[in-house]
Amino acid sequence: QVQLVESGGGLVQAGGSLRLSCAASGRTFSSYNIGWFRQAPGQEREFIAAISRTGGSTYYGGSVKGRFTISRDNAKNTVNLQMNTLRPEDTAVYYCAADRTRTTIVRVTPNSYDYWGQGTQVTVSS
């Protein structure tokens, strides 16, 4: 099992940047693919980015590709999401999640992930 805690959310102007972190517990952190999702009020949870267990593979949702970068540091049990060129439509609660399936394939659907953090609010003003 792994426990996840997001941090780094806040208020930022459009065009600005923000860095989110997902801190994980346990020595098994490197066994999990990690994904970032976001959810705005009244909307479905949206895939943002995912990273493989070793960090060798990444995948991004079309709405953020080229603006966001996911990375991980297994020695620190941390996954980060660097968000640049933020837009008002990026406003949402951002969640990190862990996929316990032992696979090299990163997944993009929320139901593919087994463990979730509580989320951190990101608000982008226009």
Side-chain angles (χ1 to χ4, degrees), residues 91-110:
T91 296
V93 177
Y94 283 70
Y95 301 88
C96 64
D99 175 9
R100 71 176 184 175
T101 303
R102 294 185 176 181
T103 178
T104 59
I105 302 173
V106 296
R107 302 180 177 187
V108 301
T109 60

Side-chain angles (χ1 to χ4, degrees), residues 8-12 16-20 81-84 86 121-122:
L11 176 65
V12 65
S17 299
L18 206 60
R19 183 179 177 88
L20 305 183
L81 184 69
Q82 179 66 46
M83 306 186 296
N84 298 324
L86 285 163
Q121 176 70 46
V122 172

